[in-house]
mmCIF file of all heavy atoms in Angstrom:
data_model
loop_
_atom_site.group_PDB
_atom_site.id
_atom_site.type_symbol
_atom_site.label_atom_id
_atom_site.label_comp_id
_atom_site.label_asym_id
_atom_site.label_seq_id
_atom_site.Cartn_x
_atom_site.Cartn_y
_atom_site.Cartn_z
ATOM 1 N N GLN S 173 93.822 -13.331 -81.141
ATOM 2 C CA GLN S 173 92.664 -12.549 -80.714
ATOM 3 C C GLN S 173 91.495 -13.431 -80.313
ATOM 4 O O GLN S 173 90.701 -13.044 -79.438
ATOM 5 C CB GLN S 173 92.264 -11.582 -81.828
ATOM 6 C CG GLN S 173 93.245 -10.466 -82.060
ATOM 7 C CD GLN S 173 92.953 -9.661 -83.312
ATOM 8 O OE1 GLN S 173 92.255 -10.122 -84.217
ATOM 9 N NE2 GLN S 173 93.477 -8.457 -83.386
ATOM 10 N N LYS S 174 91.352 -14.578 -80.940
ATOM 11 C CA LYS S 174 90.223 -15.464 -80.676
ATOM 12 C C LYS S 174 90.668 -16.745 -79.977
ATOM 13 O O LYS S 174 90.063 -17.788 -80.139
ATOM 14 C CB LYS S 174 89.509 -15.782 -81.992
ATOM 15 C CG LYS S 174 88.914 -14.540 -82.647
ATOM 16 C CD LYS S 174 88.095 -14.904 -83.849
ATOM 17 C CE LYS S 174 87.463 -13.612 -84.395
ATOM 18 N NZ LYS S 174 86.413 -13.885 -85.313
ATOM 19 N N ARG S 175 91.732 -16.641 -79.199
ATOM 20 C CA ARG S 175 92.286 -17.826 -78.549
ATOM 21 C C ARG S 175 91.273 -18.522 -77.627
ATOM 22 O O ARG S 175 91.362 -19.739 -77.420
ATOM 23 C CB ARG S 175 93.574 -17.486 -77.824
ATOM 24 C CG ARG S 175 93.448 -16.500 -76.694
ATOM 25 C CD ARG S 175 94.845 -16.114 -76.166
ATOM 26 N NE ARG S 175 94.754 -15.104 -75.157
ATOM 27 C CZ ARG S 175 94.683 -13.786 -75.381
ATOM 28 N NH1 ARG S 175 94.708 -13.333 -76.608
ATOM 29 N NH2 ARG S 175 94.616 -12.928 -74.377
ATOM 30 N N ALA S 176 90.300 -17.776 -77.141
ATOM 31 C CA ALA S 176 89.270 -18.397 -76.309
ATOM 32 C C ALA S 176 88.394 -19.358 -77.128
ATOM 33 O O ALA S 176 87.818 -20.305 -76.574
ATOM 34 C CB ALA S 176 88.409 -17.324 -75.640
ATOM 35 N N GLN S 177 88.297 -19.112 -78.425
ATOM 36 C CA GLN S 177 87.475 -19.958 -79.301
ATOM 37 C C GLN S 177 88.280 -21.101 -79.919
ATOM 38 O O GLN S 177 87.707 -21.972 -80.577
ATOM 39 C CB GLN S 177 86.881 -19.114 -80.448
ATOM 40 C CG GLN S 177 85.980 -18.011 -79.956
ATOM 41 C CD GLN S 177 85.574 -17.090 -81.123
ATOM 42 O OE1 GLN S 177 85.776 -17.400 -82.278
ATOM 43 N NE2 GLN S 177 85.026 -15.951 -80.768
ATOM 44 N N LEU S 178 89.581 -21.073 -79.748
ATOM 45 C CA LEU S 178 90.451 -22.091 -80.324
ATOM 46 C C LEU S 178 90.139 -23.459 -79.707
ATOM 47 O O LEU S 178 90.098 -23.612 -78.484
ATOM 48 C CB LEU S 178 91.918 -21.724 -80.046
ATOM 49 C CG LEU S 178 92.996 -22.436 -80.810
ATOM 50 C CD1 LEU S 178 92.866 -22.146 -82.314
ATOM 51 C CD2 LEU S 178 94.369 -22.006 -80.331
ATOM 52 N N PRO S 179 89.883 -24.485 -80.536
ATOM 53 C CA PRO S 179 89.578 -25.810 -79.998
ATOM 54 C C PRO S 179 90.758 -26.374 -79.175
ATOM 55 O O PRO S 179 91.907 -26.062 -79.443
ATOM 56 C CB PRO S 179 89.358 -26.655 -81.260
ATOM 57 C CG PRO S 179 88.996 -25.666 -82.331
ATOM 58 C CD PRO S 179 89.766 -24.433 -81.985
ATOM 59 N N VAL S 180 90.417 -27.164 -78.215
ATOM 60 C CA VAL S 180 91.439 -27.737 -77.326
ATOM 61 C C VAL S 180 92.219 -28.840 -78.034
ATOM 62 O O VAL S 180 93.437 -28.960 -77.912
ATOM 63 C CB VAL S 180 90.785 -28.268 -76.021
ATOM 64 C CG1 VAL S 180 91.788 -28.957 -75.137
ATOM 65 C CG2 VAL S 180 90.090 -27.136 -75.292
ATOM 66 N N ASP S 181 91.522 -29.659 -78.799
ATOM 67 C CA ASP S 181 92.138 -30.772 -79.537
ATOM 68 C C ASP S 181 93.093 -30.208 -80.573
ATOM 69 O O ASP S 181 92.755 -29.290 -81.331
ATOM 70 C CB ASP S 181 91.062 -31.618 -80.193
ATOM 71 C CG ASP S 181 91.667 -32.769 -80.972
ATOM 72 O OD1 ASP S 181 92.213 -33.690 -80.332
ATOM 73 O OD2 ASP S 181 91.612 -32.715 -82.234
ATOM 74 N N VAL S 182 94.309 -30.764 -80.656
ATOM 75 C CA VAL S 182 95.353 -30.256 -81.562
ATOM 76 C C VAL S 182 94.893 -30.342 -83.018
ATOM 77 O O VAL S 182 95.075 -29.377 -83.801
ATOM 78 C CB VAL S 182 96.663 -31.038 -81.363
ATOM 79 C CG1 VAL S 182 97.702 -30.642 -82.387
ATOM 80 C CG2 VAL S 182 97.198 -30.832 -79.965
ATOM 81 N N THR S 183 94.291 -31.426 -83.415
ATOM 82 C CA THR S 183 93.834 -31.589 -84.793
ATOM 83 C C THR S 183 92.731 -30.581 -85.091
ATOM 84 O O THR S 183 92.732 -29.947 -86.175
ATOM 85 C CB THR S 183 93.341 -33.035 -85.045
ATOM 86 O OG1 THR S 183 94.390 -33.935 -84.743
ATOM 87 C CG2 THR S 183 92.885 -33.207 -86.494
ATOM 88 N N ASP S 184 91.777 -30.444 -84.191
ATOM 89 C CA ASP S 184 90.700 -29.467 -84.397
ATOM 90 C C ASP S 184 91.240 -28.037 -84.451
ATOM 91 O O ASP S 184 90.779 -27.231 -85.254
ATOM 92 C CB ASP S 184 89.646 -29.579 -83.283
ATOM 93 C CG ASP S 184 88.864 -30.887 -83.370
ATOM 94 O OD1 ASP S 184 88.855 -31.507 -84.445
ATOM 95 O OD2 ASP S 184 88.264 -31.263 -82.348
ATOM 96 N N ALA S 185 92.210 -27.756 -83.590
ATOM 97 C CA ALA S 185 92.824 -26.427 -83.574
ATOM 98 C C ALA S 185 93.535 -26.133 -84.901
ATOM 99 O O ALA S 185 93.443 -25.054 -85.463
ATOM 100 C CB ALA S 185 93.800 -26.285 -82.411
ATOM 101 N N ARG S 186 94.216 -27.151 -85.409
ATOM 102 C CA ARG S 186 94.895 -27.013 -86.696
ATOM 103 C C ARG S 186 93.892 -26.735 -87.814
ATOM 104 O O ARG S 186 94.096 -25.851 -88.634
ATOM 105 C CB ARG S 186 95.699 -28.292 -86.980
ATOM 106 C CG ARG S 186 96.514 -28.262 -88.255
ATOM 107 C CD ARG S 186 97.400 -29.496 -88.363
ATOM 108 N NE ARG S 186 98.224 -29.450 -89.529
ATOM 109 C CZ ARG S 186 97.900 -29.983 -90.700
ATOM 110 N NH1 ARG S 186 96.755 -30.605 -90.831
ATOM 111 N NH2 ARG S 186 98.713 -29.856 -91.735
ATOM 112 N N MET S 187 92.819 -27.488 -87.827
ATOM 113 C CA MET S 187 91.797 -27.303 -88.868
ATOM 114 C C MET S 187 91.139 -25.936 -88.722
ATOM 115 O O MET S 187 90.844 -25.276 -89.732
ATOM 116 C CB MET S 187 90.755 -28.412 -88.796
ATOM 117 C CG MET S 187 91.324 -29.808 -89.091
ATOM 118 S SD MET S 187 92.331 -29.909 -90.595
ATOM 119 C CE MET S 187 91.153 -29.495 -91.837
ATOM 120 N N TRP S 188 90.899 -25.527 -87.484
ATOM 121 C CA TRP S 188 90.322 -24.188 -87.245
ATOM 122 C C TRP S 188 91.234 -23.104 -87.806
ATOM 123 O O TRP S 188 90.774 -22.178 -88.473
ATOM 124 C CB TRP S 188 90.097 -23.998 -85.750
ATOM 125 C CG TRP S 188 89.477 -22.706 -85.355
ATOM 126 C CD1 TRP S 188 88.151 -22.425 -85.274
ATOM 127 C CD2 TRP S 188 90.163 -21.499 -84.957
ATOM 128 N NE1 TRP S 188 87.959 -21.117 -84.879
ATOM 129 C CE2 TRP S 188 89.183 -20.528 -84.676
ATOM 130 C CE3 TRP S 188 91.497 -21.165 -84.827
ATOM 131 C CZ2 TRP S 188 89.501 -19.234 -84.254
ATOM 132 C CZ3 TRP S 188 91.819 -19.875 -84.412
ATOM 133 C CH2 TRP S 188 90.802 -18.928 -84.148
ATOM 134 N N LEU S 189 92.536 -23.252 -87.543
ATOM 135 C CA LEU S 189 93.518 -22.262 -88.010
ATOM 136 C C LEU S 189 93.594 -22.261 -89.546
ATOM 137 O O LEU S 189 93.674 -21.189 -90.162
ATOM 138 C CB LEU S 189 94.898 -22.529 -87.395
ATOM 139 C CG LEU S 189 95.912 -21.443 -87.498
ATOM 140 C CD1 LEU S 189 95.388 -20.108 -86.943
ATOM 141 C CD2 LEU S 189 97.183 -21.826 -86.764
ATOM 142 N N PHE S 190 93.529 -23.441 -90.162
ATOM 143 C CA PHE S 190 93.517 -23.491 -91.621
ATOM 144 C C PHE S 190 92.239 -22.864 -92.180
ATOM 145 O O PHE S 190 92.227 -22.274 -93.247
ATOM 146 C CB PHE S 190 93.708 -24.933 -92.122
ATOM 147 C CG PHE S 190 95.160 -25.279 -92.360
ATOM 148 C CD1 PHE S 190 95.939 -25.732 -91.319
ATOM 149 C CD2 PHE S 190 95.738 -25.104 -93.598
ATOM 150 C CE1 PHE S 190 97.278 -26.054 -91.497
ATOM 151 C CE2 PHE S 190 97.073 -25.403 -93.801
ATOM 152 C CZ PHE S 190 97.860 -25.876 -92.735
ATOM 153 N N GLY S 191 91.126 -23.025 -91.460
ATOM 154 C CA GLY S 191 89.876 -22.368 -91.867
ATOM 155 C C GLY S 191 90.043 -20.840 -91.833
ATOM 156 O O GLY S 191 89.577 -20.136 -92.734
ATOM 157 N N VAL S 192 90.722 -20.336 -90.816
ATOM 158 C CA VAL S 192 91.010 -18.906 -90.744
ATOM 159 C C VAL S 192 91.839 -18.487 -91.933
ATOM 160 O O VAL S 192 91.575 -17.478 -92.615
ATOM 161 C CB VAL S 192 91.702 -18.524 -89.418
ATOM 162 C CG1 VAL S 192 92.234 -17.125 -89.460
ATOM 163 C CG2 VAL S 192 90.765 -18.730 -88.240
ATOM 164 N N ALA S 193 92.898 -19.272 -92.225
ATOM 165 C CA ALA S 193 93.752 -18.969 -93.367
ATOM 166 C C ALA S 193 92.967 -18.995 -94.669
ATOM 167 O O ALA S 193 93.181 -18.130 -95.554
ATOM 168 C CB ALA S 193 94.929 -19.976 -93.428
ATOM 169 N N ARG S 194 92.102 -19.955 -94.815
ATOM 170 C CA ARG S 194 91.283 -20.065 -96.036
ATOM 171 C C ARG S 194 90.396 -18.822 -96.199
ATOM 172 O O ARG S 194 90.270 -18.263 -97.281
ATOM 173 C CB ARG S 194 90.409 -21.318 -95.978
ATOM 174 C CG ARG S 194 89.567 -21.520 -97.202
ATOM 175 C CD ARG S 194 88.849 -22.884 -97.105
ATOM 176 N NE ARG S 194 87.958 -23.058 -98.227
ATOM 177 C CZ ARG S 194 86.683 -22.674 -98.244
ATOM 178 N NH1 ARG S 194 86.137 -22.105 -97.183
ATOM 179 N NH2 ARG S 194 85.955 -22.869 -99.292
ATOM 180 N N ASN S 195 89.781 -18.351 -95.101
ATOM 181 C CA ASN S 195 88.976 -17.135 -95.159
ATOM 182 C C ASN S 195 89.818 -15.922 -95.508
ATOM 183 O O ASN S 195 89.399 -15.061 -96.295
ATOM 184 C CB ASN S 195 88.263 -16.897 -93.830
ATOM 185 C CG ASN S 195 87.163 -17.911 -93.595
ATOM 186 O OD1 ASN S 195 86.644 -18.510 -94.527
ATOM 187 N ND2 ASN S 195 86.817 -18.125 -92.328
ATOM 188 N N LEU S 196 91.027 -15.858 -94.953
ATOM 189 C CA LEU S 196 91.907 -14.744 -95.288
ATOM 190 C C LEU S 196 92.308 -14.780 -96.775
ATOM 191 O O LEU S 196 92.395 -13.762 -97.440
ATOM 192 C CB LEU S 196 93.154 -14.754 -94.393
ATOM 193 C CG LEU S 196 92.916 -14.394 -92.918
ATOM 194 C CD1 LEU S 196 94.140 -14.695 -92.089
ATOM 195 C CD2 LEU S 196 92.534 -12.929 -92.786
#
């Protein structure tokens, strides 16, 4: 749903996704 906000860098994208998981 927020793919437009997903960072381009693979490491940053991974950390962003883990941040989402942490919030969940």
Side-chain angles (χ1 to χ4, degrees):
Q173 290 170 339
K174 297 186 176 195
R175 63 188 176 274
Q177 299 172 13
L178 194 62
V180 176
D181 180 69
V182 174
T183 302
D184 291 341
R186 183 173 183 267
M187 296 311 296
W188 182 87
L189 194 54
F190 269 86
V192 169
R194 182 174 175 270
N195 289 337
L196 290 169

